[in-house]
Amino acid sequence: MIQLPIHIDYSGKVVVITGAGGLICGAMARAFAQSGAKVAALDLNEDAVKALAAELKAEGFVCEGYRANVLDPEALEAVHQAVLRNLGACDILVNGAGGNNPKATTDNEYQHEAKEGGKSFFDLQPDGVDFVFKLNFQGTLLPTQTFAKDMVEKKAGCILNVSSMNAYTPLTKIPAYSAAKAGISNFTQWLATHFAGTGIRCNAIAPGFLVSAQNYKLLFNEDGTPTARSAKILNGTPMGRYLDAAELLGGTLFLCDDRSASAITGVVLPIDGGFAAYSGV
Ligand code: NAD
């Protein structure tokens, strides 16, 4: 059990969450389940979502884990049919699967500091850039095509995308991931407009910086002290600390609730310890 920041009754709602095998969306899956929802936890990592579902079921909540590649429309439709059979039609979709790729990352922040033999802007690999755009953008569009059909039929529903701080101003070293997340913020507004007449709302959260298994080595030296990049992040975050996944749950549960957020569509909510507000001076 986690301590929920707000209590909203999601009983009877079917919530589909992609990337639920990961840090942020695993916490979201748990939060929705603890709030009474029937949760479909989707991830490429089948073991992770099966383990999450087993844990939640053992605690008396409703959750099913499904292996799903957000880039494979046929596989998504097969999971959609399984969700319809096991839990019912989708009321809320959280598009959480996403991430970066080393092939789309430069070694140096600035070209004038690029070192011989390092990976500069000129060494970025087209397949790495494609991977990042596909995973983040198509990985949001395709599950929306699959699951929003249920919402159109119900004339109600909610889509929550996961953007990032790099969507507002790009972070050094990660041009493709930054541009792809800017695409997610933009697409959130597009979807909100496109579906407004159908009763479906679409919003996003833009998390600040969390420490995950994936980025730990980029953020901390072996002795536990922050790396230079980590120091920059913390200096750029007025609250001066990393966020906990649980701190994203209040905004998530609020935005997805038709009563609390009935007129809120097309917004990207920063949950960032003040990062987006701070000029650095
Ligand atoms: P994570 O790596 O813990 O979780 C991402 C999950 O997505 C993983 O379980 C992975 O298996 C899954 N996934 C990857 N490719 C997939 C695919 N093709 N199909 C289905 N599932 C796939 O990362 P996280 O930190 O929990 O990130 C979740 C979301 O939040 C991502 O969209 C990420 O870009 C975004 N985000 C993270 C941070 C952060 O600091 N961690 C900040 C801002 C935004």
Side-chain angles (χ1 to χ4, degrees):
M1 289 282 277
I2 46 170
Q3 200 69 34
L4 294 179
I6 51 174
H7 296 282
I8 294 177
D9 184 10
Y10 276 97
S11 302
K13 299 286 185 193
V14 174
V15 183
V16 176
I17 306 178
T18 74
L23 175 73
I24 292 175
C25 296
M28 288 180 180
R30 173 166 272 287
F32 277 110
Q34 282 186 208
S35 301
K38 294 183 269 183
V39 174
L42 277 55
D43 205 288
L44 208 49
N45 182 344
E46 186 173 12
D47 290 346
V49 279
K50 293 280 185 200
L52 175 70
E55 199 180 295
L56 286 169
K57 277 183 190 170
E59 292 171 43
F61 303 116
V62 182
C63 180
E64 296 293 336
Y66 302 92
R67 184 188 189 279
N69 181 353
V70 291
L71 301 178
D72 181 344
E74 282 177 19
L76 283 169
E77 188 47 40
V79 171
H80 179 209
Q81 293 306 318
V83 172
L84 283 170
R85 282 193 304 276
N86 300 334
L87 302 174
C90 176
D91 294 291
I92 294 164
L93 170 67
V94 179
N95 285 308
N100 192 26
N101 186 287
K103 286 183 179 176
T105 304
T106 63
D107 285 348
N108 284 84
E109 294 189 339
Y110 308 105
Q111 179 60 28
H112 68 270
E113 291 175 353
K115 292 192 180 74
E116 196 62 36
K119 188 169 17 114
S120 79
F121 168 72
F122 300 102
D123 302 310
L124 293 177
Q125 299 290 308
D127 60 335
V129 173
D130 274 353
F131 175 92
V132 173
F133 269 89
K134 262 194 145 173
L135 174 58
N136 292 282
F137 192 81
Q138 297 264 44
T140 294
L141 186 144
L142 295 172
T144 304
Q145 282 183 320
T146 305
F147 290 99
K149 282 180 195 148
D150 291 1
M151 302 181 202
V152 170
E153 260 179 46
K154 290 188 183 196
K155 297 188 172 58
C158 179
I159 300 159
L160 186 75
N161 296 330
V162 182
S163 185
S164 170
M165 279 302 107
N166 59 32
Y168 297 86
T169 36
L171 298 189
T172 56
K173 297 188 176 185
I174 51 171
Y177 184 49
S178 298
K181 286 298 191 187
I184 292 303
S185 293
N186 185 280
F187 187 46
T188 299
Q189 295 175 313
W190 190 91
L191 286 171
T193 304
H194 188 71
F195 282 123
T198 69
I200 302 172
R201 297 180 302 107
C202 180
N203 295 298
I205 58 165
F209 297 84
L210 292 89
V211 179
S212 66
Q214 276 184 56
N215 65 15
Y216 189 88
K217 283 193 175 161
L218 295 171
L219 301 180
F220 296 101
N221 300 310
E222 277 181 12
D223 63 3
T225 55
T227 60
R229 193 164 176 86
S230 191
K232 274 193 168 183
I233 291 169
L234 294 175
N235 287 336
T237 304
M239 286 188 180
R241 63 174 176 81
Y242 287 103
L243 309 181
D244 193 276
E247 295 181 292
L248 307 180
L249 301 178
T252 298
L253 294 173
F254 163 71
L255 284 173
C256 291
D257 178 41
D258 284 336
R259 287 150 297 191
S260 312
S262 59
I264 302 179
T265 194
V267 308
V268 181
L269 177 69
I271 307 179
D272 64 344
F275 186 88
Y278 181 43
S279 71
V281 179

